[in-house]
Amino acid sequence: MKTAKLLLSSTLAASIAATLFPLGAQATSDDAKKYHQLYQDNCASCHGSDHGGFLAPALNNETLKGRSPTALRTIVMSGSFDTLMPPFYGKLSDDDIRGLVKHLQSTPKLDNPAWTIDDMKASLKVLVADESKLPEKPTYAIGDMDDVIGVAARGKYGRGEGSKAVFINSKTHQKIGEIPTNAAAHIIDYNPVNPRWAYVKNDTAEIFKVDLYSMQVVRSIKTGFNGPGLGVSRDGKYLMAGSYVPHNAVILNADTLEPLKTFELEGVDPDGNLVSSDSGMVIGTPYADVLVVALENAGQVWVVDLKDDFPVTKIENVGRHLHDAFLTHNGTKLMVASYDDSIVTAIDLKERKIIKKLDAGCVPHVGGGAAVEVDGRTLGFGTNFGDCDKMVVSVWDLDKMEVVKQVPVSGGTESPAAHQNAPYVAVDIISKDKRARTIQLIDKKSLEVVKTLDVGGHAYFPEYSADGKYLYVSAGYNGDEVAVFDSTSLEKVAAIPMESPAGIFSHGRTKYITRGLSPEESKGAKQ
């Protein structure tokens, strides 16, 4: 099945105008174009270019049916407390806000707008033509590139000056570089073969190839309209990027960012329906030359072999709404979170089959994952979005693939972090009250919450430094800093100012594979 597509362009804006204003008056047509662009410039990076939702809820004539225009204008003007939604009073005029609300209440969800491989090629920008002239070593003081930590800073409005990737020396807690990303940075990944290269993807699906030695972008490409998925192959030769809009994924040459092949993400879901699907997680693995992508709506995981024409092995019936995942056991096993049935499915990537479906509390979200050796067994920790009767962190024995314990925590959680050299597993509390300022620490041995940290802003995305000595936490919203704690004493040792920091990504993960396994445990990963 080939999904019907529309181009997001002036032609699309005219089409929307014709749909909304059948009388065809020029003034109303111009208004439709104006507010379509206003939406794309201010709202789409969070609410979706197709009006179908992304990080934030869908905004279209169905989802807003019956809503008071006055109430909607109030939200746009004042923002939504304790969310990423900022106040637009003073940024947009009153007339623009009124017109935008009217536009949203009249506009249907768009039907999977197209962004083809030709569009991608046309968007490719070469900013440094001769990479051989780049410096041979970092232009700043750093002992080991593993000590680099990248932070995806959203900026107040998810676009503009505050939207950037910020890189920090995790030994000194000093900024070593910033990369403007146009729209909010979302994912930062690193080349596992050449430590100088990082890849940053923003909320509007633009990818930046970054030279970490000189802290500059050398190339960029736009692979879609929305979608965070990004993975790097173990040999550093390929990237895969997945999109929410449109429903596809693309293999890129990691050196040139040239798109090599696109994949239409569609398949039969667990209920037997043929569906077009958003891209969930995309991940590379150290055990083989493959890249893996989850089809959120189709409940499938695709394993793409990096040879010939990139053949695909489809693993079906993984779950009802797949999103994120993490690797364990030297990259041979993949733990995939499924929202709607509250499970994490273990997949054997060697055998390319499901091992087991494990209970995972309420609306599991495993982030980048946390796996760590404790008393001779490998434990995995999974967080849960849900505010329900099961507000827990799930702990699994990843050798036996069974639930060890579900640890009660004080609210919904989003992202766990563990390290072999740190005594605690850190989880962020995201419930919409004062608890959202906190990180809870679970003792690795007792599997009990033993400490709660108030980080001074909405606590998000804990990440350990490569050596495990420090815990980095985004204190976003009203905090506007990255807070750094000693991983043993839990004393705050540094604060790094930043506008709406979000995801934190350690360069060390390219070597250590998951957040918890040590270098020794990751030996022999390549076969």
Side-chain angles (χ1 to χ4, degrees), residues 17 50 108 131 171 178 204 257 259 305 429 510:
D50 63 348
E131 294 179 2
K171 293 285 192 185
E178 296 183 349
T204 57
L257 299 190
D305 283 284
I429 305 299
T510 61

Side-chain angles (χ1 to χ4, degrees), residues 62-77:
E62 284 297 318
T63 61
L64 299 179
K65 185 183 295 182
R67 296 287 299 273
S68 161
T70 301
L72 293 174
R73 289 198 305 271
T74 299
I75 292 174
V76 175
M77 291 175 67

Side-chain angles (χ1 to χ4, degrees), residues 251-328:
I251 298 281
L252 306 168
N253 181 305
D255 288 331
T256 65
L257 299 190
E258 176 190 1
L260 304 175
K261 183 175 180 178
T262 57
F263 302 83
E264 194 83 13
L265 299 181
E266 55 189 17
V268 177
D269 70 12
D271 294 321
N273 301 312
L274 183 62
V275 297
S276 181
S277 179
D278 300 341
S279 164
M281 68 84 202
V282 178
I283 199 166
T285 171
Y287 99 89
D289 294 320
V290 299
L291 287 163
V292 186
V293 58
L295 278 64
E296 289 216 356
N297 315 98
Q300 299 183 11
V301 168
W302 290 4
V303 182
V304 182
D305 283 284
L306 301 176
K307 61 183 181 181
D308 303 326
D309 195 36
F310 304 109
V312 175
T313 301
K314 300 179 181 180
I315 303 171
E316 300 181 338
N317 294 309
V318 176
R320 294 191 176 278
H321 186 158
L322 309 183
H323 186 59
D324 51 3
F326 69 96
L327 293 164
T328 184

